[in-house]
Amino acid sequence: HGDSGPLDTGFAWALLHLDLALLVRDFVGTAVGVIAHSFGAGQAIGLAGAFPELVRWLVVIDGLGPPPDAFAPPDDIRAAIHTNAARTDRILFGRPRREWRSVEDMAAYRRSQNPRLSPEWADHLARYGSRRGPGGGYVWKADPMFGLGVPSEFNVELLAEEQSRVQCPVLVITGTEHDTWRDLTPEQEAERVGWLRAQHVTVPGTGHYVHLEDPEGTMAAMRAFFDEVEHDRRTATRPR
């Protein structure tokens, strides 16, 4: 969604972990705390699992991964391959990306995809998630290749392995309401929180965008977590 442009490596799951690791190692130079949401939270978990020396603590906002049935193969694999090949050709070699007449139109579309978003937040996401296109309209900043999925191993077993390897303190924040991209059952959610050995806070009345729907509740959960992490750090380093 940012200004850095499309990835020349594509969206291979493990390569994105490596991108984050190089960012922290080469630009920050010390271990960091990470607050991340949705797909980004999955990447932050992967970073903490593969490079534990780079992550001090982790806050995961509704980002525990898709449910098991999302990984089921399509009924017609041949047709699915042809569809994805056609989409790839269209993105790489076909017609220019759709340009929207206005940011307001983009915000309205975003609300149709995420009905729980307020008009103000939909406008914010559209305004900062778009740029001028070559035809004078607006295009989404998001890389269209992302819509083709993750072209590498990505399944529940991989998520379990990554999440079980995380060593730092973890806070998981989720909502309570059904929403777009919020598909785990309470039992599946609890299982993945267990893989992370994490604290889990639910913010009542929120969906996938917990931090947008209830920023005060989200911040209260994070402040309590940070206080506990800091207390544990001081206790561990206090001379006897």
Side-chain angles (χ1 to χ4, degrees), residues 31-33 44-60 159-171 192-199 225 229 232:
V32 297
I45 291 170
L47 170 69
F51 301 94
E53 71 280 6
L54 296 180
V55 182
R56 294 173 46 226
W57 49 259
L58 182 59
V59 176
V60 173
L159 293 176
E161 182 67 25
E162 287 190 341
Q163 294 179 19
S164 298
R165 287 176 178 269
V166 174
Q167 299 176 21
C168 66
V170 183
L171 171 64
R192 298 187 188 188
V193 169
W195 293 342
L196 287 164
R197 300 173 298 282
Q199 297 183 36
F225 173 68
V229 168
D232 291 346

Side-chain angles (χ1 to χ4, degrees), residues 122-166:
D123 180 77
H124 176 91
L125 293 173
R127 193 166 302 281
Y128 290 97
S130 63
R131 62 164 63 94
R132 284 285 187 180
Y138 295 87
V139 298
W140 294 106
K141 290 179 179 178
D143 188 339
M145 290 296 288
F146 185 72
L148 296 176
V150 178
S152 59
E153 183 180 4
F154 186 59
N155 49 46
V156 173
E157 292 73 24
L158 175 65
L159 293 176
E161 182 67 25
E162 287 190 341
Q163 294 179 19
S164 298
R165 287 176 178 269
V166 174

Side-chain angles (χ1 to χ4, degrees), residues 107 111 114-124 212-213:
R111 284 204 79 199
N114 300 99
R116 296 186 61 88
L117 277 177
S118 70
E120 294 78 17
W121 274 116
D123 180 77
H124 176 91
L212 303 189
E213 292 190 51

